[in-house]
Amino acid sequence: MTDELSIRVERSFTAISPESWSRLSGTSKEGTTLAYNPFLSHAYLSSLEESGSATAQTGWLGHHLLLETDKGELIGALPGYLKNHSQGEYVFDHGWADAFERAGGRYYPKLQCSIPFTPATGPRLLVAVGLERRPIQNAIAESLKEVVRRLGVSSAHITFVPEDEIGVFETDGYLHRTDQQFHFINEGYANHEEFLETLTSRKRKALRKERRTALENGISIDWLTASDLTEDIWDQFFAFYMDTGGRKWGRPYLTRKFYSLIGERMPEDILLVMAKRNGRYVAGAINFIGGDTLYGRHWGCVEDHPYLHFEVCYHQAIDFALAKGLKRVEAGAQGEHKLARGYLPVTTHSAHYVAHAGLRRAIADYLEREREDVEHMNEVLAEHSPFRKGERQQED
């Protein structure tokens, strides 16, 4: 590329045209060299902002890095937000903030480069389709450090980064952090029963019993997508979200308007798994459908039934992925209980640029030990997977 490039920070995602954004690989279903990631779509990111879910008022002020040619053509990007708290991120840095502020530093505001409220791995250093990726990724990573310096903020945090992007950040002096999630990997199973046959006999029997128990009391399951996603359905699902989210987080992050917007803009990318009893829905989980992955996000209920959470969130997700030929189910953050249901431990990655040299050294020492702990825990958990010996290996 011979054009002169410049980096620009855009505070409003809605100011970025859908057409230019969709030319970045992975952000749309057309013409991409990467698997489509629905959380990187213009529809999803603009809905977070327009719905009032991720805005300056909620502590998520847009600071999206755009790499452009001298003709104004968008060739690279990094979604980002200036934040005055660490809520809704799923990669916890509260201890870092407390330590720095006890030492007289100012940790907030900071730059958070991620998808708000979404603990799902996906490309962060976005590059236009057809261009050489590494030089543009390097330019974005280096530019982010300059933005940190110019803003005078403490740090920049790029979370749920694909492993193949971590090397870009490490080369540029970012710190590497790892964590753990549990994913289901489709090995070409024809159906759920074929998958169950790869488990030990005891685990197989336990899961069959669990699924039967979950659907007792007259419960049935519906898959809703596309034109099924009416405003009435969203009203019912939002009630589940508010009830469970309010108990879990104190204040749910997403507004009712958010669901209307994504239902209008990306209905084919959404799967609601809804549980019905006595003619009304009593629980449900929302999933997003990517190019090769089903992403489970959150669930809620207004009635408690044994094992219904596992059925709606994990077993039904596997059923759908197998039916649609998807390679993977990512069922969200944490949760060792997923292991018994065929979800294996995987390593997730994030990159962190810390401006203060003393804080950077302290965090670097901590992260070295943490990476060893995560690797060891993944190995231990993989040994306790429900699969018969030799059927499955740990997924890295």
Side-chain angles (χ1 to χ4, degrees):
M1 172 161 301
T2 57
D3 290 332
E4 185 174 339
L5 304 180
S6 62
I7 200 82
R8 177 167 66 88
V9 175
E10 177 55 69
R11 293 192 175 187
S12 173
F13 192 84
T14 58
I16 305 170
S17 76
E19 294 76 20
S20 62
W21 187 261
S22 66
R23 288 194 288 269
L24 302 174
S25 194
T27 64
S28 72
K29 299 174 184 176
E30 306 299 328
T32 182
T33 56
L34 300 176
Y36 169 58
N37 187 303
F39 303 123
L40 289 170
S41 68
H42 194 280
Y44 190 85
L45 289 167
S46 62
S47 295
L48 284 171
E49 181 179 310
E50 290 182 48
S51 67
S53 301
T55 63
Q57 290 70 33
T58 61
W60 294 79
L61 175 60
H63 270 62
H64 310 295
L65 272 66
L66 307 180
L67 186 65
E68 299 173 325
T69 69
D70 54 6
K71 300 180 179 63
E73 179 184 3
L74 181 64
I75 63 167
L78 173 63
Y81 300 85
L82 190 65
K83 295 196 63 194
N84 56 15
H85 58 71
S86 293
Q87 298 170 10
E89 298 170 3
Y90 301 91
V91 176
F92 303 110
D93 63 346
H94 303 94
W96 305 357
D98 291 344
F100 194 44
E101 294 188 5
R102 283 199 305 270
R106 185 185 178 200
Y107 193 77
Y108 302 107
K110 65 174 185 175
L111 276 173
Q112 182 70 28
C113 300
S114 64
I115 310 302
F117 327 121
T118 308
T121 294
R124 296 294 178 257
L125 299 170
L126 307 180
V127 178
V129 175
L131 298 183
E132 187 178 355
R133 298 179 56 78
R134 191 60 182 258
I136 294 175
Q137 291 175 329
N138 287 338
I140 298 170
E142 181 61 35
S143 296
L144 178 60
K145 292 165 60 177
E146 180 61 26
V147 171
V148 168
R149 288 190 284 267
R150 292 192 180 191
L151 290 175
V153 298
S154 70
S155 50
H157 308 266
I158 311 91
T159 50
F160 299 100
V161 176
E163 189 172 7
D164 62 5
E165 289 186 2
I166 280 294
V168 178
F169 287 110
E170 287 187 305
T171 300
D172 223 354
Y174 289 72
L175 304 178
H176 177 199
R177 189 177 195 182
T178 59
D179 204 345
Q180 180 190 81
Q181 286 187 350
F182 294 84
H183 298 172
F184 170 80
I185 311 300
N186 181 4
E187 300 282 8
Y189 307 118
N191 50 48
H192 204 111
E193 277 301 309
E194 187 172 306
F195 152 65
L196 288 178
E197 287 299 322
T198 66
L199 308 185
T200 64
S201 175
R202 183 172 62 87
K203 293 294 186 180
R204 183 165 61 247
K205 291 176 182 177
L207 291 185
R208 285 174 176 156
K209 181 179 179 181
E210 178 175 285
R211 297 200 73 178
R212 289 194 303 269
T213 303
L215 300 181
E216 290 176 352
N217 301 318
I219 293 174
S220 61
I221 302 293
D222 290 338
W223 290 350
L224 306 181
T225 189
S227 60
D228 302 325
L229 303 176
T230 64
E231 287 299 294
D232 177 62
I233 290 296
W234 285 126
D235 284 341
Q236 294 179 66
F237 180 77
F238 189 67
F240 306 156
Y241 172 68
M242 291 296 290
D243 182 78
T244 302
R247 285 185 277 112
K248 186 175 182 180
W249 307 310
R251 183 180 65 84
Y253 301 125
L254 300 169
T255 66
R256 171 63 181 83
K257 184 179 179 181
F258 170 77
Y259 294 98
S260 290
L261 289 176
I262 61 171
E264 173 189 336
R265 295 172 177 176
M266 51 190 304
E268 302 286 344
D269 299 339
I270 299 168
L271 168 70
L272 288 185
V273 177
M274 300 286 275
K276 181 181 287 185
R277 191 176 78 88
N278 292 337
R280 74 177 187 120
Y281 289 122
V282 297
I286 188 169
N287 304 264
F288 290 82
I289 307 166
D292 60 8
T293 302
L294 183 69
Y295 300 93
R297 284 301 303 111
H298 45 265
W299 108 298
C301 65
V302 292
E303 289 184 8
D304 291 320
H305 296 275
Y307 302 117
L308 186 59
H309 172 245
F310 300 141
E311 176 65 26
V312 169
C313 294
Y314 308 134
H315 300 309
Q316 289 289 327
I318 290 174
D319 284 347
F320 184 87
L322 298 183
K324 301 300 181 181
L326 299 175
K327 296 179 181 178
R328 175 187 299 254
V329 179
E330 294 192 16
Q334 305 166 335
E336 293 181 8
H337 57 277
K338 299 168 187 171
L339 185 67
R341 291 156 185 95
Y343 291 74
L344 290 179
V346 302
T347 301
T348 59
H349 304 270
S350 58
H352 306 265
Y353 174 69
V354 181
H356 188 277
L359 180 62
R360 184 167 62 249
R361 284 193 299 271
I363 292 175
D365 290 342
Y366 167 76
L367 292 182
E368 183 175 0
R369 296 191 299 272
E370 186 183 51
R371 287 193 300 271
E372 293 175 355
D373 290 344
V374 169
E375 182 178 5
H376 175 68
M377 183 57 68
N378 280 350
E379 292 172 353
V380 170
L381 288 171
E383 286 298 313
H384 293 82
S385 83
F387 293 92
R388 297 197 304 263
K389 294 300 182 183
E391 286 286 351
R392 295 293 300 273
Q393 302 296 319
Q394 178 181 350
E395 184 73 14
D396 293 322

